[in-house]
Amino acid sequence: MHNTLKLVLSISIALLLSACGTTDSALKEQLHNDAYVVGFHDGRHSGMKEAGDEWEHFIRDHERFDSEPEYKEDWLAGESEDRRIQTQAQAIGDSVGGAYTGYQINKEVDASKPHPKKIANEAMKGVDTTEMNNLGK
């Protein structure tokens, strides 16, 4: 359960943070050519994979990387950006998972403690309380 929660939170946070990253359309609006945009896109997926995202794949067109400076430049930029984002998402997921674990531990500890009413009832066992009923009248 705990690992599943951490995974779900990590993926959710990664998706949220990646939405905050640079998009292909933003690069095109900045008048970057296709080699630059594709390089950034490939590098982003590779950076996330390298940072531990099990759902991503390492993508690099080796021929273009070796022969097209713009593809290479933006592949490296994309890789760096999404490696950073994935690392942040993982750290947040780990923190949330740790907080949840602490909450669960505290909940279990509280449940194992004796309840005050139960203690009072045990203490009053065998005590004649009929005269106490007259106190409230």
Side-chain angles (χ1 to χ4, degrees):
M1 172 72 174
H2 178 261
N3 288 335
T4 303
L5 177 64
K6 281 177 68 172
L7 177 62
V8 169
L9 288 170
S10 295
I11 291 169
S12 299
I13 292 166
L15 290 173
L16 177 66
L17 289 174
S18 67
C20 299
T22 308
T23 64
D24 292 351
S25 59
L27 292 173
K28 288 178 183 177
E29 288 173 10
Q30 295 169 6
L31 304 178
H32 290 290
N33 67 22
D34 285 340
Y36 193 87
V37 173
V38 171
F40 188 85
H41 178 80
D42 291 355
R44 277 190 343 211
H45 291 284
S46 300
M48 289 178 74
K49 176 66 175 177
E50 292 167 353
D53 187 335
E54 297 175 21
W55 302 97
E56 286 294 342
H57 300 285
F58 184 88
I59 304 169
R60 182 193 293 174
D61 183 331
H62 293 286
E63 188 176 308
R64 289 181 86 177
F65 189 85
D66 292 338
S67 65
E68 294 180 43
E70 286 185 325
Y71 176 88
K72 180 178 183 175
E73 176 186 338
D74 217 35
W75 189 96
L76 293 170
E79 176 198 34
S80 175
E81 179 177 294
D82 271 36
R83 183 183 292 175
R84 177 184 51 79
I85 288 171
Q86 179 65 28
T87 301
Q88 288 173 346
Q90 186 66 42
I92 292 168
D94 289 346
S95 295
V96 171
Y100 178 76
T101 300
Y103 167 78
Q104 285 298 105
I105 290 171
N106 287 337
K107 192 173 162 185
E108 290 175 18
V109 167
D110 288 345
S112 70
K113 291 179 184 175
H115 194 278
K117 271 190 166 181
K118 187 176 180 182
I119 293 171
N121 288 339
E122 288 292 320
M124 296 300 290
K125 241 185 210 176
V127 175
D128 183 10
T129 60
T130 54
E131 292 299 318
M132 293 176 130
N133 292 333
N134 294 332
L135 293 176
K137 296 180 183 179

